[in-house]
Amino acid sequence: MDYRELKFPKDSLFLVTGGAGFVGSNLCEAILEMGYHVRCLDNLSTGHIENIESFRGNDCFEFIKGDIKKYDTCDMACEGVDYVLHQAAWGSVPRSIEMPVFYAANNIMGTVNMLEAARQNKVKKFVYASSSSVYGDEPNLPKQEGREGNRLSPYAVTKYECEEYAKQYTMHYGLDTYGMRYFNVFGRRQDPNGAYAAVIPKFLKKLLQGEAPTINGDGSQSRDFTYIDNVIEANLKACLAPSSAAGQAFNIAYGGREYLNDIYRSLNIVLDVNIKPKYGPNRPGDIKHSLADISKAREMLGYEPEWSFELGIKAAIEWYKQNL
C-alpha cells in the first residue's frame, strides 16, 4: 500500500523535529503532498535549510528554528500538534565516541524534553527515530526486537535510553510512543559531505566525480539498506497504530542484506566507471553485519516495505546525478 493512501483527520498537524535533515525533510514533503499541515523544528546544526526551501511558500508549512535541548522551545513547538515525528538527533557512531557528553545532552535530554512537551500538549502519537545500533554486539541474524547485546558506542546508548524513556511515558502517562529502529536508511537528500557521511552517498559522490572512495575495513561488512520511502511509510503507519502497540520499538528495514564490496562493484557498473576503492581501518563501534527481522512491524504497524535495495538504489543514483 502506498503511504499516500493513508488517511488522517482533516487539518491534522504534524510536528517533525529535525525536519530540515535527511529523513525529516522527506517526512515533511510526504505529509504536505498528502494535504496535511507540517510544523518543522530544527536548529540547523546538521540539517540544511535547502532541504526545506521548496516548502517555505506552502501555507500548510511552518518552520521554527529552535533547539530540542530547550524545553520551552519543545513546548511551544508541540502546541496544537496531533502527531510528533521526532527525528532530531546527532548521528554517527564514531563522532559520538569523540563527543559523549554532547550526545547525551542532545539525544537523550532533547528526547525527554520532547516527550514531556508532547505529554503536556496532549499529542495523540509520538513516533521517534531509534537505530539498529542498539543491537550492539548481539551476533545473531536476523536482528530481533528483545534480543539486544552490549551497545558499542555512546550513540547506540543514547538511542537505547530514548527507547526506555519512551516506554516510561507510555506506561505512566498514557502517551502513545513508537520507536523506529532504522537500519541504514538511504535516498534523496542524504548528505554525502563530511567525515561522517553515510556510505552510499559518499560512494556515489566520489564515483560521479571520478574519484576513489574509501571503504572502512575490508568491505565484507553487510547491511540491511533501507530506502527512504519505506521509512516514511513506517512513520505514518505508526501514527495510525493502535495503542496496544505503543511503548515499543520496531525494526524498520527492508529485510535484505547487501555487502559493501558488492554494492561498490554494482555502482561502478551502473555509473559505467571502473575505479578501484581505497581500503581504510575499521571504524570503532561499527557493527559487522546487520539484517532485520521486520515481522513485528509488519504485524503490529501494518508495515509492508515496497522499496527493495535494487529499486531504491536506482532512484538514489538518479537523484544524485541531478543534484550533485
Side-chain angles (χ1 to χ4, degrees):
M1 176 189 182
D2 190 323
Y3 64 78
R4 293 170 187 83
E5 296 171 22
L6 298 174
K7 298 293 180 201
F8 294 88
K10 191 173 178 290
D11 296 326
S12 288
L13 174 58
F14 292 78
L15 170 64
V16 182
T17 71
F22 160 46
V23 174
S25 64
N26 276 287
L27 285 167
C28 289
E29 182 175 48
I31 295 162
L32 289 169
E33 284 177 354
M34 293 165 71
Y36 301 107
H37 297 267
V38 176
R39 182 178 293 156
C40 165
L41 173 64
D42 203 304
N43 68 358
L44 302 179
S45 57
T46 59
H48 302 287
I49 200 74
E50 301 81 42
N51 286 340
I52 58 170
E53 203 58 59
S54 61
F55 318 146
R56 300 289 288 277
N58 189 322
D59 289 342
C60 292
F61 182 77
E62 176 189 356
F63 173 61
I64 299 173
K65 186 178 179 185
D67 197 319
I68 58 170
K69 293 197 294 297
K70 297 178 179 173
Y71 176 76
D72 288 349
T73 301
C74 299
D75 186 45
M76 175 186 71
C78 282
E79 191 177 337
V81 165
D82 297 294
Y83 309 97
V84 171
L85 301 178
H86 176 51
Q87 312 299 310
W90 273 58
S92 171
V93 162
R95 184 167 55 190
S96 75
I97 295 171
E98 295 167 16
M99 304 165 64
V101 175
F102 180 85
Y103 270 70
N106 200 80
N107 292 8
I108 300 175
M109 268 318 300
T111 297
V112 175
N113 282 340
M114 283 303 310
L115 285 162
E116 180 63 13
R119 170 171 90 102
Q120 295 294 347
N121 285 278
K122 298 181 170 49
V123 165
K124 293 176 187 171
K125 303 283 183 182
F126 187 98
V127 182
Y128 62 96
S130 186
S131 164
S132 60
S133 66
V134 301
Y135 288 105
D137 62 3
E138 210 289 318
N140 292 298
L141 293 177
K143 305 294 184 185
Q144 197 170 50
E145 300 92 340
R147 201 173 64 192
E148 295 82 24
N150 296 305
R151 262 73 48 199
L152 299 176
S153 67
Y155 171 71
V157 171
T158 68
K159 288 299 185 181
Y160 187 73
E161 289 303 321
C162 289
E163 291 186 2
E164 290 295 303
Y165 268 104
K167 196 186 298 180
Q168 297 296 318
Y169 267 79
T170 298
M171 190 190 311
H172 297 297
Y173 312 119
L175 177 65
D176 282 1
T177 64
Y178 306 84
M180 307 283 101
R181 284 186 183 171
Y182 297 154
F183 279 68
N184 299 90
V185 187
F186 73 99
R188 58 190 176 275
R189 296 201 196 100
Q190 191 171 30
D191 190 353
N193 300 308
Y196 304 107
V199 64
I200 286 178
K202 195 177 265 190
F203 282 2
L204 283 170
K205 182 182 181 187
K206 288 285 189 182
L207 290 173
L208 287 167
Q209 292 174 339
E211 299 172 15
T214 298
I215 295 177
N216 296 304
D218 62 5
S220 66
Q221 310 95 302
S222 65
R223 296 287 182 266
D224 194 336
F225 286 104
T226 311
Y227 188 59
I228 183 64
D229 281 37
N230 294 335
V231 167
I232 295 170
E233 178 204 333
N235 275 268
L236 294 175
K237 284 188 171 173
C239 290
L240 296 170
S243 295
S244 57
Q248 302 188 59
F250 303 86
N251 289 341
I252 303 304
Y254 184 69
R257 190 175 172 197
E258 311 295 331
Y259 292 85
L260 295 194
N261 282 330
D262 293 343
I263 289 172
Y264 187 77
R265 279 192 290 272
S266 298
L267 292 178
N268 270 267
I269 292 165
V270 172
L271 297 173
D272 196 24
V273 294
N274 186 18
I275 300 171
K276 288 201 163 29
K278 303 172 198 165
Y279 287 93
N282 284 307
R283 296 196 316 180
D286 269 1
I287 295 168
K288 180 75 172 176
H289 299 292
S290 79
L291 169 65
D293 177 344
I294 58 172
S295 56
K296 182 181 174 184
R298 182 176 279 131
E299 288 161 17
M300 300 184 81
L301 304 180
Y303 173 64
E304 291 290 349
E306 296 183 353
W307 286 80
S308 65
F309 176 75
E310 290 75 22
L311 283 174
I313 198 68
K314 283 179 188 167
I317 288 167
E318 286 310 307
W319 188 88
Y320 282 104
K321 277 182 176 176
Q322 292 169 26
N323 290 277
L324 279 181

